[in-house]
Amino acid sequence: MMSSVSPPAPSLPSGGGSFFRGYTKLCKGLAVILLLVHLLVQLFPSAVNYLALIPARTIPFAWNLITAGYVEQTIPGVIISIIGLLLFGKLLEPLWGTKELSKFVFIVNFSTSMCVFVTAIAVYYVTQQESYLYTPLSGFYGVLSGLLVGIKQLMPEMELNLFVLKIKGKWIPSLIALISVVVSFFMKDLVSYLPVILFGIYMSWIYLRYFQKRLETGLKGDPSEEFSFSSFFPAILRPVLDPIATIFHRLLCGRSDRADRGQTLETSSLPGSDSTEANRRRERGQRALEQRLAEKLAAVKSTESTSLDASDKV
């Protein structure tokens, strides 16, 4: 989506019944899992010890690296997770497909848990505070943050209504990260969510940037400048961040870059093909969004006409 005119900002449907329409089976199934697991830990609090990520017990209970992401221990947490999953999944699944979205959720959830586990162990060895080993860590916020990164990639110019503010999709992950860091300084109970959110953003970017397979070209990742690591930060910081990001990029992905470069030469001789492919992704995102908004408008008009006909008969 590279046009100068941004598409209309999406909003929640006005009709109560239409709010539950259009969500995919995958998102509904994950929402049911979140709800059932929440009810389970409410009815049996000891289940948290077996499902949540407790770093000191992760070695024998390795499944915690997967199950922890689906454990919401609070009512506000499970409500936010379910609503966010349904809304963000509704935007991304038509573009990615069910298989890719389920793969994305699994990879981001597992990699986020792994990073949180390693960080907790490292912080314990530095501080020698056992609370880092035995505090249950859980929540779906890592995946939600990752879905926002997907929206940044595919719909960067789409405006989302956040209370009284209209924020473009490309800034939502950065805004969430900033708010999480600031809030953690004032509300100590929320500190445990901070690494989940930050690692969710970072690991989802790693996957989308370097590993997600592009169906159009058969290559992996999104090398466009609009999706670089520095794009998450204000422009004033990018001259400092770009050289650092380039060093890590060459260290971690040098071989894959050479392989992709060779494959690109075989499949395409057009310069700037990566940028062109990235633009195609954004155009598909815009078309999907416009189609969804048109369907919503048609449904509203149909409801209004039905109400008018009924009133005329009365």
Side-chain angles (χ1 to χ4, degrees):
M1 180 193 306
M2 300 302 293
S3 60
S4 58
V5 179
S6 300
S11 58
L12 294 177
S14 57
S18 60
F19 177 81
F20 298 97
R21 299 174 185 169
Y23 302 115
T24 62
K25 292 182 178 179
L26 174 61
C27 292
K28 290 179 181 178
L30 291 175
V32 170
I33 291 175
L34 289 172
L35 180 59
L36 293 178
V37 174
H38 172 73
L39 294 176
L40 176 65
V41 297
Q42 294 300 314
L43 295 175
F44 305 99
S46 61
V48 173
N49 298 327
Y50 299 95
L51 298 177
L53 177 62
I54 302 177
R57 301 175 181 175
T58 299
I59 298 302
F61 299 156
W63 60 82
N64 295 163
L65 295 172
I66 297 176
T67 59
Y70 301 97
V71 178
E72 286 293 351
Q73 302 182 44
T74 65
I75 295 178
V78 72
I79 292 176
I80 293 174
S81 295
I82 290 177
I83 293 178
L85 169 64
L86 293 176
L87 293 179
F88 303 154
K90 185 178 181 180
L91 291 175
L92 293 176
E93 187 167 352
L95 305 176
W96 283 348
T98 301
K99 182 178 179 180
E100 176 58 32
L101 180 59
S102 59
K103 180 180 177 182
F104 176 85
V105 170
F106 176 82
I107 291 176
V108 172
N109 179 47
F110 179 75
S111 59
T112 298
S113 296
M114 280 293 299
C115 290
V116 171
F117 168 72
V118 172
T119 301
I121 297 296
V123 173
Y124 163 72
Y125 278 110
V126 172
T127 64
Q128 293 297 308
Q129 295 184 19
E130 293 189 353
S131 60
Y132 291 106
L133 293 180
Y134 294 99
T135 299
L137 303 171
S138 63
F140 201 66
Y141 296 112
V143 176
L144 291 183
S145 303
L147 294 175
L148 289 175
V149 176
I151 292 176
K152 168 186 171 65
Q153 179 196 34
L154 297 176
M155 310 172 188
E157 301 300 324
M158 181 185 69
E159 290 186 342
L160 299 177
N161 293 320
L162 297 180
F163 302 103
V164 296
L165 299 177
K166 288 186 177 181
I167 307 295
K168 289 186 177 181
K170 62 183 178 182
W171 294 118
I172 296 295
S174 304
L175 180 63
I176 294 298
L178 177 61
I179 293 175
S180 301
V181 172
V182 173
V183 170
S184 65
F185 282 104
F186 300 98
M187 302 180 67
K188 299 300 181 182
D189 294 339
L190 300 181
V191 173
S192 60
Y193 293 105
L194 182 60
V196 177
I197 294 173
L198 296 183
F199 281 124
I201 292 174
Y202 184 65
M203 298 311 297
S204 60
W205 175 78
I206 289 288
Y207 173 72
L208 295 175
R209 179 72 168 175
Y210 298 110
F211 299 105
Q212 186 185 50
K213 188 173 182 179
R214 291 173 284 172
L215 298 179
E216 295 85 353
T217 62
L219 302 179
K220 293 181 179 180
D222 181 356
S224 63
E225 289 297 325
E226 295 83 358
F227 197 58
S228 63
F229 180 74
S230 61
S231 68
F232 287 82
F233 298 87
I236 192 174
L237 298 177
R238 294 179 186 178
V240 178
L241 294 172
D242 281 335
I244 300 175
T246 300
I247 294 174
F248 282 97
H249 171 80
R250 290 176 179 174
L251 289 175
L252 298 175
C253 306
R255 292 184 179 179
S256 61
D257 277 353
R258 288 192 292 270
D260 283 352
R261 196 176 295 115
Q263 187 174 355
T264 302
L265 291 176
E266 295 176 0
T267 57
S268 177
S269 60
L270 295 176
S273 59
D274 289 331
S275 178
T276 301
E277 196 277 330
N279 293 341
R280 289 175 180 172
R281 286 187 175 192
R282 293 178 174 85
E283 289 173 359
R284 290 200 309 273
Q286 182 179 9
R287 288 196 298 269
L289 177 62
E290 291 174 350
Q291 180 180 0
R292 191 173 294 110
L293 292 174
E295 292 174 353
K296 184 193 302 182
L297 181 61
V300 171
K301 288 183 178 180
S302 176
T303 303
E304 291 178 350
S305 61
T306 303
S307 301
L308 289 175
D309 292 342
S311 60
D312 291 341
K313 292 180 180 179
V314 173

